[in-house]
Amino acid sequence: MKFENTGLENKKADLTRLDEVMLSHGLVREGQWDYERVTYDRKFELKEGVFYLRVFGYAVEGDVGAHKALIQLMTPLLGKHYYPHGVEYGEGETFPKSLLNQCEKILADIKTEIDHFAV
């Protein structure tokens, strides 16, 4: 599921500061990056299954590996994990309303914080 019109998809932010903000909201980058792209994940384990809130981005300047990059954020996604196949984001998925509300709040809080330094 896409979270449209969060305002994040229009933001470009410094990688180091972005890492800090995302981590403060439970989204981790860990090893999910290459020299041009990043993925921030937050895992939710509920009785309905395992879900991931994901925020993707790509470097418009610099190098992620060197920790010096300007990251263009993309539309956040929510997906459900199916073992062993992976995460599905399809329209046929159903998501608990409480999870949707929590994700929307997290994304709004992230936007508020990065508005102070993003372009």
Side-chain angles (χ1 to χ4, degrees), residues 81-96:
H81 183 264
Y82 291 96
Y83 179 82
H85 304 292
V87 179
E88 293 290 331
Y89 308 100
E91 292 181 21
E93 300 299 327
T94 57
F95 301 99

Side-chain angles (χ1 to χ4, degrees), residues 9-87:
E9 57 276 353
N10 300 321
K11 299 295 179 186
K12 294 177 186 168
D14 173 72
L15 175 65
T16 302
R17 294 189 74 187
L18 192 57
D19 281 350
E20 293 169 2
V21 169
M22 293 295 194
L23 189 57
S24 74
H25 292 281
L27 284 101
V28 295
R29 182 164 55 102
E30 296 293 331
Q32 299 185 73
W33 62 274
D34 63 20
Y35 294 99
E36 298 172 346
R37 295 176 298 223
V38 295
T39 302
Y40 296 96
D41 279 345
R42 180 164 173 174
K43 182 178 183 179
F44 298 89
E45 295 185 57
L46 308 173
K47 67 180 180 180
E48 294 89 346
V50 176
F51 301 89
Y52 286 91
L53 173 61
R54 291 198 159 151
V55 179
F56 299 96
Y58 61 93
V60 292
E61 291 178 17
D63 182 323
V64 174
H67 302 286
K68 293 184 180 185
L70 183 64
I71 302 296
Q72 170 72 57
L73 294 175
M74 300 168 68
T75 303
L77 299 173
L78 181 63
K80 184 173 183 180
H81 183 264
Y82 291 96
Y83 179 82
H85 304 292
V87 179

Side-chain angles (χ1 to χ4, degrees), residues 73-119:
L73 294 175
M74 300 168 68
T75 303
L77 299 173
L78 181 63
K80 184 173 183 180
H81 183 264
Y82 291 96
Y83 179 82
H85 304 292
V87 179
E88 293 290 331
Y89 308 100
E91 292 181 21
E93 300 299 327
T94 57
F95 301 99
K97 183 68 175 160
S98 60
L99 176 61
L100 294 174
N101 291 339
Q102 185 177 2
C103 290
E104 288 170 352
K105 171 137 179 36
I106 290 166
L107 295 170
D109 291 346
I110 289 170
K111 182 188 177 302
T112 299
E113 285 189 49
I114 69 170
D115 276 348
H116 297 292
F117 61 88
V119 292

